[in-house]
Amino acid sequence: MAHSPFFQRQAKARRNTLLLVALFSTAVMLITLSVCVVGYMVTRSSTSALPFHHWLLTSHGLITAGASVALMGVGSLIRWIDLADGGRRVAEMVGAQPINPDTNDPLERRLRNIVEEMAIASGVAVPELYVMDQETGINAFVAGYSPAEAVMVVTHGALTQLTRDELQGVVGHEFSHILNGDMRLNVRLIALLAGILMIGQIGLFLARAGFYSGAVRTRRDSRGQFALGTLGVVLFVIGYAGVFCGRLIQAAVSRQRERLADASSVQFTRNPDGIGGALFKIGLQGSHLDTTRHASDMNHMCFGESTRMKFMGLLASHPPIEDRINALQPGLITRLRSRLRDTRSSEALRNTQAENSAQRQANTLGNAPGSSPESTQTSTTASALGFADPAPFNTRANKGSGSPLAGNNRYRIATDTPMSVRVGQVYPGSENYAKDLLGQLPATCRGLIYTRAGAVQLSYSLLIADLPAEQQQRYLALLPAHPVVGHQEPILQKLLPTVTALGAAARFPLLELAMPALRKLDPNEQQQLIRNVKALAVADQNISLFELALTSFFSRHLSPRAGRAIAVKHRRFQPVLPALRQLFSLLARAGADNPQQAQALFSQAMAGFGVSGNAVPKILTSVSLRELSQALAELNKLSPLLKPAIIDASAECVSQNGHISVREYEMMRLVADQLDCPMPPLID
């Protein structure tokens, strides 16, 4: 079955995590062996000069090896647990500050607008945005364990020194990491490197204690302090030799993914000048993170190199800047240089070259085998030169195609194309959809959904927008009073006309726009919101499929464990057949005109998972909110390569005669979101 490369990339990212663990284990073994050699040299006289392989089996050897492994394992485990909350914890670790959804800063609003366009076009929940206010270099990264819980961090330099086109190129690059599953791998790599660092950090501590103690010491004490310091230096060298190996792993894992992300950015934005210009400016403005001690740990995650290090050609986590630009479009680097000459004076160019000469020479010393100093110098010079702001961003697709307000009640779908092909993709029509939707949102409405109270009232309006006014008030009266998550009529009345006018096709994108503000609710408010949403859904004693999907969406994304990793538990469909039965029962009833057709659709869907003939169970007459949430949670534990079959079977259930209603498709997107399968809008 043909399906989106999204699933292969997700599966590959998970396999790479296992590979990292294997490489980490190898590094631990080598470091442990080196520490044991040191221990052998120190204790050899007290063990009658046993051969090394015999010494390893003595109490001294076993204690030394066990302590080394334990220290590195504990170091990684502590960081692994520390980063369990995902991207938000990584952002806090580097000192980034959250950007309020309703920020008045024009640069932050520009970033939010770009991110929202990309999020709606790709079907990804709008990431939480953070800024590193003290960083003047141009850089950015994303972190998290799933596309729906991603966090994007940008530096102050990226906000102030990049044009809109260039910033959009950087955002497109980072969205590629979200869709390709790179974030999970990157966070895991931080934890593993922390363990390898433990021996070196202990060695540094011992060396300082031995050589830099200010206390008055006797001659005997001095010998002990010297021995302690010497041992510390040896452990420091051993530990950081392991770090060197870790950096090699970091670079090997990162470079290929950076090339893919650059290419994806051009695919998303259809504007190679954007990301090319951002790369071109990095050399002059710099991309290093100077205010955090975690810069080297983050190097593989960032848009550009985040730390200064020797042997850059060997240890760099990113390909050379010139190579990245040339890979985007032939001749692009020449155009950027020419544009610079047209906008910078000769004296400014000479000053720029002089300022960067020392850095170029340092980088040249660290060239990887097979590279030449000339190529490194050219790369650095190209990346070091900025250029004037180009014309304002202009979409290159046909304006007007795929408007969210076209008035269509049903979409035409290609029966020979699996729906899973769309997962993780960005289409020109989807980008126009996002731009049109944001452009037609009233300013008051858009400002409200960036606030906590406004986002809450939007959530309620999605459930009651189609009801008569009297019925709306009767249902809202069921909600308990609360200053934030209670019913607030003035705000609700400002949102309801917009929700009604935009129609069903815009409701899921509106929900995506509101999620950053909803995440700002405290845990008690989030749980009360979930209870209120459920109360509105069951108020008429007839829960629709959309209401079921929406309540499941809130239950997952506003839960205390929302940002945590979901481990793969099932690699075949047999254990999740009960969950599939619940999901397909709902979808088949939604897509059928009568009970007989519903049973036929249900049987057809189950047949695709090895259940046919007399083994096909009866379609369920009802599925509760709790059962649906549990079913989707269980299905999300499947291997990524098994999820396309569920997406395609779901589409077959709800589509009739090659058509799918707007409401049904948006409901499918909500279900797919629960499986960490971002789907873009479906545009005619």
Side-chain angles (χ1 to χ4, degrees):
M1 178 183 295
H3 49 71
S4 169
F6 168 85
F7 298 100
Q8 288 96 334
R9 293 195 293 264
Q10 291 283 321
K12 182 178 180 181
R14 289 180 180 270
R15 289 195 300 269
N16 283 343
T17 300
L18 298 178
L19 176 62
L20 283 178
V21 172
L23 293 174
F24 168 75
S25 300
T26 302
V28 167
M29 292 175 58
L30 293 175
I31 294 173
T32 300
L33 187 62
S34 300
V35 173
C36 285
V37 170
V38 176
Y40 172 68
M41 300 299 295
V42 172
T43 63
R44 182 173 54 177
S45 60
S46 62
T47 55
S48 303
L50 292 173
F52 178 68
H53 60 283
H54 289 163
W55 177 88
L56 287 175
L57 300 178
T58 66
S59 59
H60 291 92
L62 294 176
I63 291 174
T64 302
S68 300
V69 172
L71 285 171
M72 288 181 281
V74 168
S76 287
L77 181 61
I78 291 174
R79 182 56 60 86
W80 194 291
I81 295 174
D82 182 47
L83 299 178
D85 288 334
R88 187 177 304 177
R89 180 66 190 98
V90 176
E92 294 171 351
M93 185 178 74
V94 298
Q97 300 299 315
I99 297 177
N100 289 326
D102 58 344
T103 177
N104 292 320
D105 186 292
L107 295 176
E108 293 178 351
R109 291 177 69 88
R110 181 183 68 169
L111 171 67
R112 175 162 294 282
N113 188 67
I114 293 171
V115 171
E116 288 174 347
E117 289 178 5
M118 190 68 69
I120 293 174
S122 61
V124 173
V126 178
E128 289 190 69
L129 298 179
Y130 286 75
V131 61
M132 301 180 73
D133 287 322
Q134 305 303 316
E135 295 290 354
T136 58
I138 299 172
N139 224 323
F141 67 87
V142 288
Y145 291 120
S146 71
E149 310 299 339
V151 164
M152 182 178 295
V153 179
V154 300
T155 61
H156 181 72
L159 290 181
T160 58
Q161 299 172 38
L162 297 182
T163 67
R164 192 186 196 280
D165 268 10
E166 294 162 353
L167 188 59
Q168 188 186 44
V170 174
V171 169
H173 175 101
E174 299 306 326
F175 262 84
S176 173
H177 287 312
I178 294 175
L179 295 172
N180 292 339
D182 297 336
M183 299 184 303
R184 181 189 183 101
L185 182 68
N186 288 339
V187 175
R188 295 306 193 204
L189 185 52
I190 293 176
L192 297 181
L193 289 176
I196 298 177
L197 274 170
M198 285 297 292
I199 298 296
Q201 291 173 337
I202 292 174
L204 182 60
F205 173 79
L206 294 178
R208 287 175 174 173
F211 294 131
Y212 298 102
S213 176
V216 178
R217 296 170 294 185
T218 65
R219 185 172 183 179
R220 183 175 181 179
D221 290 338
S222 297
R223 292 176 180 175
Q225 292 287 86
F226 180 79
L228 183 65
T230 303
L231 177 62
V233 170
V234 173
L235 292 179
F236 178 84
V237 172
I238 292 174
Y240 278 84
V243 173
F244 180 83
C245 295
R247 296 288 180 254
L248 287 178
I249 297 172
Q250 194 180 42
V253 169
S254 177
R255 289 191 185 191
Q256 183 178 6
R257 292 180 295 125
E258 291 301 316
R259 293 183 186 275
L260 175 61
D262 288 344
S264 296
S265 176
V266 175
Q267 177 188 353
F268 293 165
T269 64
R270 300 181 306 286
N271 181 14
D273 283 18
I275 185 173
L279 290 169
F280 197 58
K281 285 184 175 179
I282 278 181
L284 176 62
Q285 310 299 342
S287 61
H288 301 134
L289 304 181
D290 296 322
T291 65
T292 174
R293 62 187 178 87
H294 297 287
S296 60
D297 298 335
M298 310 294 299
N299 201 34
H300 61 287
M301 302 180 68
C302 294
F303 178 70
E305 296 289 342
S306 64
T307 185
R308 299 173 178 85
M309 62 177 69
K310 297 180 180 179
F311 307 107
M312 283 294 293
L314 186 62
L315 297 180
S317 295
H318 302 69
I321 292 292
E322 184 174 359
D323 290 354
R324 293 175 69 179
I325 295 177
N326 285 333
L328 297 174
Q329 188 180 71
L332 177 59
I333 187 70
T334 303
R335 289 207 314 273
L336 296 176
R337 288 172 176 165
S338 177
R339 190 178 303 173
L340 176 73
R341 297 190 194 99
D342 294 339
T343 57
R344 300 283 298 276
S345 66
S346 298
E347 182 178 357
L349 289 176
R350 286 193 296 270
N351 290 339
T352 298
Q353 292 171 351
E355 290 171 0
N356 289 278
S357 176
Q359 182 64 38
R360 289 200 303 270
Q361 293 174 3
N363 289 348
T364 302
L365 294 176
N367 281 341
S371 63
S372 65
E374 290 79 4
S375 65
T376 304
Q377 183 172 345
T378 303
S379 171
T380 308
T381 303
S383 65
L385 304 180
F387 60 93
D389 292 352
F393 172 74
N394 182 26
T395 302
R396 288 160 174 73
N398 292 329
K399 187 72 174 175
S401 64
S403 171
L405 305 180
N408 294 336
N409 292 320
R410 301 188 70 82
Y411 294 122
R412 295 187 302 273
I413 62 174
T415 56
D416 59 340
T417 303
M419 186 66 73
S420 60
V421 169
R422 302 187 61 82
V423 173
Q425 305 299 309
V426 178
Y427 298 93
S430 298
E431 184 180 348
N432 289 338
Y433 176 104
K435 292 178 68 67
D436 289 348
L437 175 62
L438 293 175
Q440 297 184 48
L441 271 180
T444 300
C445 176
R446 191 170 181 182
L448 282 173
I449 63 178
Y450 290 155
T451 66
R452 295 189 304 157
V456 168
Q457 301 309 307
L458 174 71
S459 305
Y460 300 154
S461 69
L462 296 176
L463 293 168
I464 66 172
D466 296 334
L467 302 176
E470 181 181 349
Q471 196 172 1
Q472 290 178 359
Q473 295 303 315
R474 188 166 68 251
Y475 290 171
L476 291 170
L478 300 174
L479 306 182
H482 190 280
V484 178
V485 298
H487 169 215
Q488 299 185 33
E489 185 67 16
I491 298 178
L492 190 69
Q493 290 305 319
K494 292 179 180 179
L495 294 171
L496 272 173
T498 300
V499 172
T500 303
L502 293 179
R507 293 183 184 177
F508 185 49
L510 287 174
L511 182 61
E512 292 175 329
L513 293 177
M515 281 307 296
L518 293 177
R519 293 190 183 103
K520 299 297 182 183
L521 298 172
D522 65 45
N524 291 333
E525 291 171 343
Q526 290 179 346
Q527 294 309 306
Q528 184 60 52
L529 172 62
I530 293 173
R531 289 191 291 269
N532 289 352
V533 168
K534 290 181 178 178
L536 292 177
V538 303
D540 60 356
Q541 304 299 318
N542 183 22
I543 303 176
S544 70
L545 196 56
F546 176 80
E547 290 169 338
L548 281 170
L550 189 62
T551 51
S552 297
F553 178 89
F554 278 113
S555 296
R556 180 188 174 195
H557 293 300
L558 297 182
S559 71
R561 300 179 60 85
R564 294 179 178 264
I566 304 297
V568 171
K569 183 179 178 181
H570 308 297
R571 301 190 181 276
R572 55 192 184 94
F573 291 114
Q574 188 65 32
V576 299
L577 288 179
L580 291 174
R581 183 188 182 192
Q582 293 171 337
L583 176 61
F584 294 147
S585 293
L586 287 170
L587 297 177
R589 289 187 178 279
D593 296 326
N594 54 66
Q596 293 75 23
Q597 186 182 23
Q599 180 64 48
L601 288 173
F602 174 77
S603 300
Q604 180 181 350
M606 295 298 293
F609 299 89
V611 182
S612 58
N614 295 331
V616 176
K618 290 290 185 180
I619 188 173
L620 296 173
T621 57
S622 65
V623 177
S624 68
L625 296 176
R626 180 184 296 273
E627 288 171 338
L628 178 62
S629 296
Q630 291 175 345
L632 292 173
E634 198 64 23
L635 293 176
N636 197 27
K637 297 176 183 177
L638 284 166
S639 167
L641 294 178
L642 299 181
K643 292 179 180 179
I646 299 176
I647 300 295
D648 295 333
S650 299
E652 291 173 1
C653 282
V654 299
S655 62
Q656 299 180 55
N657 302 321
H659 292 80
I660 183 172
S661 72
V662 171
R663 174 77 71 169
E664 289 165 347
Y665 184 70
E666 293 308 310
M667 179 278 306
M668 271 196 59
R669 292 181 68 194
L670 285 167
V671 171
D673 171 84
Q674 300 290 283
L675 304 179
D676 289 329
C677 299
M679 295 180 67
L682 186 60
I683 307 300
D684 275 337

